[in-house]
Amino acid sequence: MGTITVSDGTEIYYKDWGPKDASVVVFHHGWPLSADDWDNQMLFFLGHGFRVVAHDRRGHGRSSQTDTGNEMDTYAADVAALAAALDLRGAVHVGHSTGGGEVAHYVARAEPGRVAKAVLIGAVPPVMVRSERNPEGLPMEVFDGFRAALVANRAQFYRDVPAGPFYGFNRDGAKISQGAIDNWWRQGMMGGAKPQYDCIRAFSETDFTEDLRAIDVPVLVMHGTDDQIVPIADSALKAHPLLKHGTLKTYDGLPHGMCTTHPEIINPDLLAFIRG
């Protein structure tokens, strides 16, 4: 574990576990969480002999609570700086939700040899917000509601999201984990209100269409059909056809946070793709 300082002085916290000469998997977390959201997957891949790396996006977790640079260009530049500092080559980059957007934006721009494969899980690309070009998207009012709830009572908002739609705990018969809810809240409250507020625009309004078209490595797109946060019809089902070397895998009835609720399903599929 450590930090790097990027060009604008921001400190980016990261974890780097396992043999430094092993195949490396880099994990990119969702909003408003931290590298800790990948604990299960990092331990799983560590146990299979991989080197595993995860960072806290600027403004999130243990990284600097920046009031600037909270947008995808800078997020991707921060990842590039981390890859250079740790000399990551032939890496597989795995991104969930907002982290999937970060992966797409970074991989499309990465130095040759840095990236071998990518995985987008419940990811926001191509673009979330509704517009004339994207009439099936979510209305801006949804994201304005996120911003209003964050400003009004961030602590309560960060209880309501994981207790409800994020993990599908609002569905009849759901097996509710209070620990997962509390851990989501803990991670969210570690970060800064301003960068998390700004990140709502980054994940909802950034158009990743050209990033997806530019990616020239194999990409696995994984998405639950009951994702209430990033609906599959306007994300994975649109992202997959834009990829040159894409594979789509859907999970019937699984929620947005399926890496936490169903790691016994997700982890073996990740391993098979990475080793394949």
Side-chain angles (χ1 to χ4, degrees):
M1 287 80 74
T3 61
I4 63 165
T5 302
V6 297
S7 59
D8 68 352
T10 299
E11 287 193 348
I12 303 296
Y13 172 91
Y14 68 90
K15 306 176 188 184
D16 182 1
W17 301 343
K20 299 303 178 276
D21 59 348
S23 298
V24 61
V25 185
V26 184
F27 294 94
H28 303 245
H29 65 80
W31 175 93
L33 304 173
S34 75
D36 294 355
D37 202 43
W38 292 109
D39 283 352
N40 183 290
Q41 283 71 39
M42 290 184 71
L43 291 170
F44 175 84
F45 279 94
L46 188 66
H48 281 83
F50 288 83
R51 177 185 180 185
V52 291
V53 174
H55 71 292
D56 291 353
R57 187 173 301 114
R58 65 167 53 216
H60 297 66
R62 291 140 293 205
S63 293
S64 300
Q65 294 192 8
T66 50
D67 66 335
T68 58
N70 304 303
E71 31 70 26
M72 282 293 164
D73 287 347
T74 306
Y75 295 159
D78 291 345
V79 175
L82 182 65
L86 300 182
D87 195 26
L88 304 180
R89 300 184 182 277
V92 179
H93 285 261
V94 180
H96 174 241
S97 195
T98 300
E102 181 178 270
V103 165
H105 212 57
Y106 164 70
V107 172
R109 293 159 175 74
E111 294 176 3
R114 293 285 186 198
V115 180
K117 296 179 180 180
V119 183
L120 308 179
I121 305 177
V124 297
V127 61
M128 287 193 75
V129 73
R130 181 179 296 169
S131 66
E132 289 185 5
R133 292 179 60 190
N134 186 39
E136 300 85 14
L138 294 172
M140 182 63 78
E141 290 76 20
V142 171
F143 306 108
D144 287 343
F146 285 4
R147 282 181 277 263
L150 188 154
V151 171
N153 190 338
R154 183 169 66 128
Q156 186 59 52
F157 183 40
Y158 287 2
R159 289 281 188 209
D160 295 341
V161 173
F166 195 93
Y167 295 122
F169 291 160
N170 55 346
R171 297 305 198 201
D172 289 343
K175 183 180 179 181
I176 297 171
S177 168
Q178 189 61 47
I181 296 168
D182 292 347
N183 192 40
W184 202 103
W185 183 89
R186 176 190 67 84
Q187 292 178 71
M189 294 305 294
M190 287 170 65
K194 174 63 163 63
Q196 290 175 351
Y197 182 98
D198 292 348
C199 188
I200 295 170
R201 179 177 183 180
F203 75 65
S204 65
E205 297 183 44
T206 304
D207 189 338
F208 299 96
T209 299
E210 295 308 315
D211 293 329
L212 296 171
R213 288 175 172 154
I215 294 172
D216 203 23
V217 298
V219 181
L220 174 62
V221 180
M222 308 170 78
H223 218 105
T225 63
D226 193 33
D227 191 323
Q228 301 172 67
I229 303 294
V230 183
I232 188 172
D234 196 47
S235 53
L237 299 187
K238 288 186 175 181
H240 173 243
L242 296 169
L243 293 162
K244 296 175 186 174
H245 311 289
T247 300
L248 175 65
K249 193 166 183 64
T250 62
Y251 297 85
D252 188 41
L254 293 198
H256 187 60
M258 61 187 184
C259 293
T260 296
T261 59
H262 295 81
E264 74 283 359
I265 296 173
I266 301 304
N267 293 354
D269 285 352
L270 275 173
L271 181 63
F273 172 73
I274 290 170
R275 282 184 167 169

